[in-house]
């Protein structure tokens, strides 16, 4: 277990400059692994629905994607580069402001959850407030539970 923890620590602390030298598939894997381990989530089961609560601070609603695909709930969001005032930009210096240290340049959040058999893939609601995303997936009535869901993708609007 210590070896796994040590290896994950290496992946999470992999310098961004070194990441650019990797092949695209490996680079994507490293970024996705970082995002999954830096997105804390709580999952609750209520009598009539499941609730997924994820911390995703600093995002705008338009930068969050929630979808259900083949029985898997996908949640992703990212913050692009910021300028001195905190707004997104590609440039480093603007209006005489020089960055001395930038640690909040970008952030990436991602999690995937396999939905339980009794989850209704058609009835999914998401809301985002104060940096916390809440996704509620209702449960199927007992008689519908026995039928297997048909594979398809659903995008969920966030309010």
């Amino acid at each position: 277990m210590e070896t796994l923890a040590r290896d994950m620590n290496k992946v999470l602390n992999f310098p961004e400059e070194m990441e650019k030298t990797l092949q695209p598939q490996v680079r994507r894997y490293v970024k996705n692994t970082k995002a999954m381990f830096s997105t804390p989530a709580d999952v609750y089961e209520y009598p009539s629905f499941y609730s997924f609560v994820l911390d995703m601070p600093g995002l705008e609603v338009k930068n969050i994607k929630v979808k259900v695909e083949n029985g898997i709930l996908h949640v992703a969001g990212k913050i692009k580069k910021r300028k001195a005032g905190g707004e997104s930009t590609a440039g480093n210096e603007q209006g005489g402001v020089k960055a001395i240290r930038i640690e909040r340049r970008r952030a990436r959040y991602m999690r995937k959850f396999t939905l339980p058999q009794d989850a209704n893939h058609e009835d999914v609601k998401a809301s985002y407030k104060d940096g916390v995303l809440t996704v509620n997936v209702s449960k199927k009535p007992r008689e519908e539970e026995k039928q297997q869901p048909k594979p398809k993708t659903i995008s969920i609007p966030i309010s």
Side-chain angles (χ1 to χ4, degrees):
M1 195 64 157
E2 289 178 25
T3 326
L4 177 62
R6 190 172 347 118
D7 290 343
M8 287 312 304
N9 196 28
K10 285 180 186 176
V11 169
L12 293 175
N13 292 324
F14 202 79
E16 203 169 305
E17 297 78 35
M18 296 280 296
E19 218 174 89
K20 292 176 185 174
T21 64
L22 298 173
Q23 293 181 5
Q25 295 151 336
V26 176
R27 186 179 321 140
R28 186 172 32 253
Y29 176 79
V30 169
K31 285 183 178 182
N32 290 347
T33 303
K34 282 183 190 179
M36 289 172 79
F37 278 95
S38 65
T39 308
D42 297 330
V43 180
Y44 300 98
E45 180 180 5
Y46 291 88
S48 61
F49 66 95
Y50 294 97
S51 183
F52 301 83
V53 181
L54 297 95
D55 289 342
M56 301 175 87
L59 291 177
E60 295 178 24
V61 172
K62 66 180 181 181
N63 294 332
I64 300 173
K65 293 180 181 156
V66 179
K67 68 178 181 177
V68 174
E69 186 174 10
N70 296 327
I72 298 175
L73 174 66
H74 297 262
V75 179
K78 67 179 178 179
I79 300 172
K80 297 180 181 173
K81 291 182 181 180
R82 304 173 191 195
K83 63 180 179 181
E87 297 175 22
S88 298
T89 187
N92 292 340
E93 293 185 27
Q94 303 247 332
V97 177
K98 179 181 176 185
I100 297 171
R101 183 180 187 127
I102 298 176
E103 293 181 355
R104 302 179 320 119
R105 173 173 48 206
R106 59 178 72 141
R108 199 173 164 91
Y109 303 100
M110 180 180 25
R111 288 299 293 266
K112 295 179 182 181
F113 302 96
T114 302
L115 294 174
Q117 288 289 335
D118 64 343
N120 183 352
H121 303 180
E122 304 290 326
D123 189 11
V124 180
K125 294 181 177 76
S127 63
Y128 182 71
K129 183 178 179 186
D130 297 332
V132 178
L133 176 69
T134 304
V135 180
N136 292 330
V137 181
S138 67
K139 291 183 177 180
K140 293 178 187 174
R142 289 282 181 201
E143 53 281 349
E144 287 184 35
E145 195 175 310
K146 295 175 186 174
Q147 298 174 0
Q148 291 292 332
K150 296 176 185 171
K152 66 180 185 178
T153 300
I154 303 169
S155 290
I156 294 94
I158 301 170
S159 58

